[in-house]
Amino acid sequence: MANRILVIDDEQGIREGVKRALAPQGYMVETAENGEQGLALFRKEPFDLVLIDVMMPGISGIDLIREIHQVDPDAICIIITGYATVEMAVRAIKEGAYDFLTKPFTIDDLLLVVRQGLERRQLSLETQRLRRIEEQARKLEEEKARLEELDRAKMQFVRLVTHELQAPIAAIHTYLRLILDGYVSPEEQRRVLEKCLARAQEQMKLISDLLMLGCIQAQIQEGKVEELNMDEVLQSVVERMEPQAKEKGLEFRVWVQPASKIVLGNRDHFLSVWTNLISNAIKYTERGFVEVTLRTEDGKVIGEVKDSGIGIPEDEQPHLFEEFFRASNAKKGSQQGTGLGLSIVKRVIEASGGEVWVRSKEGEGSLFGFWVPLAKEETSNS
Ligand SMILES: Nc1ncnc2c1ncn2[C@@H]1O[C@H](COP(=O)(O)OP(=O)(O)OP(=O)(O)O)[C@@H](O)[C@H]1O
Ligand SMILES: [Mg+2]
């Protein structure tokens, strides 16, 4: 495409002379008789090269260079100057002009400086293009590394899942084999079958947790979300869990701030969040209390579950929300678990744009909390 050149000079003779000299070389030349007009033309559609008379009424040549470079930092500005103003031309070069032409100048002088200017522009555009390509290549490289990492994590997850799925089924298989091969007396059979049942239940819970974990993101993306009243969701979980806490002799406290707490989410997901947090608190607490609180603050709905249970060793706390992670003190205890509950909690909360946290001291107790955005302020009591 032809290079676009703009001549800004208040002297008609120069404007026309320059245009007459450049047009036959295949350049597209436009002219303006003052800085303001030139700038307006430039802003409308930038030029590759601008020839600017340094001495014009109105906006000065130097200010013009600055304005032009604000639109296109790579536009080439060449100052046209009378002999007496060479000093000013030098200043203009410091301000970013590429070169200057001293009046009177020949067509050859003009063509030489224009050609050099355009070459320089070509070069800097090319450099920029290369830099952009390098930047793109770097980003692609980063993206590739990220995908590889994701792939590794996925494979690791599949290995863990397979391993976890294998244990219960292998146990069930062994028990059944023992019975069928006649190694278990009729009196013993019921006890062994009950063990089978327990392992089968464990397997079913594992599978339903895995299903839940796998579909959280997808369900939210598919728009399977609604306005949920968090009080009501919590209430239905509390009704189910409270008897379990009482049975263990734990004090079960619930404190709900009287304000509406509508959040955007999937009801099953949030039932699972509360169920996991409260069941953990009950499961890992032998005496004392379990305390559930729900409140709003600064456009956030905040839920917390606190207990006076076994706590979590400090150095293990960073891993709590990882799939299948179980703390060493929990594994030593009699409580079974697959270590997926908290991963589900974290995924649900983060998919809703919120955050989870934990504060815990081994032997003293734990506090698990989360916030999610409030979908809307106070609604009617209907
Ligand atoms: N309230 C708590 N007190 C002490 N430790 C806890 C508590 N909640 C979670 N933990 C620790 O975090 C680990 C992960 O919890 P998570 O709920 O993910 O798994 P889990 O309870 O072991 O099994 P499940 O998947 O069946 O819930 C637990 O194994 C336990 O070590
Ligand atoms: Mg759990």
Side-chain angles (χ1 to χ4, degrees):
M1 218 174 59
N3 285 117
R4 286 167 48 77
I5 296 178
L6 176 62
V7 189
I8 309 175
D9 199 311
D10 56 339
E11 254 181 77
Q12 193 186 3
I14 298 266
R15 288 198 305 272
E16 283 176 0
V18 170
K19 187 168 182 170
R20 228 178 298 122
L22 293 179
Q25 307 293 321
Y27 300 125
M28 299 242 315
V29 188
E30 283 189 46
T31 60
E33 37 179 283
N34 57 47
E36 285 76 6
Q37 205 184 72
L39 202 54
L41 279 175
F42 194 91
R43 287 197 175 123
K44 221 165 82 196
E45 191 179 346
F47 290 82
D48 299 299
L49 185 143
V50 191
L51 288 148
I52 305 166
D53 181 13
V54 83
M55 290 291 266
M56 279 184 301
I59 181 168
S60 83
I62 300 213
D63 288 338
L64 208 51
I65 297 173
R66 217 170 289 140
E67 297 283 340
I68 284 174
H69 280 165
Q70 255 171 31
V71 184
D72 178 1
D74 295 303
I76 300 291
C77 294
I78 292 167
I79 291 292
I80 301 171
T81 167
Y83 179 71
T85 53
V86 167
E87 225 173 277
M88 206 192 271
V90 171
R91 236 187 79 209
I93 286 187
K94 279 197 192 131
E95 291 292 334
Y98 170 69
D99 205 346
F100 62 90
L101 270 169
T102 317
K103 278 191 268 192
F105 50 82
T106 65
I107 290 186
D108 286 343
D109 290 339
L110 173 68
L111 288 179
L112 182 69
V113 84
V114 163
R115 225 170 269 141
Q116 285 174 342
L118 288 172
E119 264 166 30
R120 156 69 178 275
R121 175 168 166 84
Q122 200 51 43
L123 219 69
S124 58
L125 290 181
E126 192 61 19
T127 313
Q128 273 182 24
R129 202 175 64 85
L130 285 176
R131 229 176 263 143
R132 271 198 302 274
I133 291 174
E134 270 169 24
E135 177 67 8
Q136 273 170 0
R138 202 182 51 75
K139 282 208 184 112
L140 281 176
E141 205 52 51
E142 271 176 22
E143 182 62 12
K144 182 167 163 251
R146 199 183 65 81
L147 287 176
E148 278 170 0
E149 179 52 41
L150 217 64
D151 208 40
R152 260 196 299 279
K154 239 182 218 162
M155 283 315 293
Q156 165 79 351
F157 183 70
V158 169
R159 267 197 299 277
L160 278 174
V161 169
T162 317
H163 181 80
E164 294 290 324
L165 284 172
Q166 204 175 20
I169 203 76
I172 293 169
H173 182 266
T174 308
Y175 290 138
L176 294 178
R177 191 77 269 162
L178 287 174
I179 294 176
L180 287 174
D181 289 352
Y183 289 105
V184 184
S185 64
E187 310 82 65
E188 281 281 289
Q189 279 186 11
R190 186 177 179 84
R191 202 181 51 81
V192 175
L193 284 173
E194 266 162 7
K195 278 191 187 171
C196 280
L197 195 64
R199 299 309 293 261
Q201 274 163 350
E202 192 186 308
Q203 181 92 311
M204 272 152 62
K205 168 156 183 335
L206 176 58
I207 289 170
S208 82
D209 279 355
L210 282 169
L211 281 174
M212 173 68 114
L213 201 62
C215 69
I216 292 166
Q217 209 76 40
Q219 288 188 331
I220 290 176
Q221 271 159 11
E222 284 163 19
K224 288 191 181 151
V225 290
E226 52 183 325
E227 283 182 357
L228 300 173
N229 177 348
M230 200 63 133
D231 289 3
E232 187 272 316
V233 177
L234 172 60
Q235 186 55 36
S236 79
V237 176
V238 163
E239 274 165 22
R240 256 188 305 120
M241 308 299 296
E242 193 167 12
Q244 292 180 24
K246 295 266 160 72
E247 206 172 294
K248 263 185 113 174
L250 301 174
E251 192 187 333
F252 194 80
R253 303 194 283 252
V254 181
W255 182 80
V256 176
Q257 185 190 35
S260 112
K261 304 169 201 75
I262 305 295
V263 303
L264 208 58
N266 179 295
R267 191 178 148 80
D268 288 342
H269 296 174
F270 277 94
L271 282 173
S272 177
V273 165
W274 284 114
T275 305
N276 275 302
L277 293 180
I278 297 175
S279 74
N280 278 351
I282 297 172
K283 181 153 96 170
Y284 299 112
T285 303
E286 286 316 314
R287 64 194 139 264
F289 66 88
V290 168
E291 185 181 275
V292 184
T293 61
L294 177 59
R295 63 197 156 89
T296 63
E297 199 181 292
D298 301 332
K300 296 172 176 173
V301 174
I302 302 172
E304 285 181 329
V305 179
K306 195 173 158 186
D307 64 57
S308 57
I310 62 171
I312 300 130
E314 202 177 333
D315 57 327
E316 298 182 32
Q317 289 177 19
H319 303 291
L320 279 181
F321 295 92
E322 291 168 10
E323 288 96 3
F324 301 111
F325 183 83
R326 301 197 71 216
S328 51
N329 58 340
K331 281 197 279 196
K332 263 185 247 149
S334 60
Q335 301 296 348
Q336 297 295 318
T338 47
L340 284 177
L342 289 178
S343 336
I344 293 175
V345 171
K346 185 178 157 85
R347 284 220 197 165
V348 170
I349 298 303
E350 291 186 351
S352 310
E355 283 171 326
V356 290
W357 59 87
V358 55
R359 283 207 303 276
S360 180
K361 197 148 187 223
E362 192 174 6
E364 290 186 14
S366 311
L367 181 150
F368 283 85
F370 66 85
W371 73 263
V372 284
L374 195 61
K376 60 180 184 198
E377 299 290 337
E378 211 64 56
T379 51
S380 66
N381 293 329
S382 61

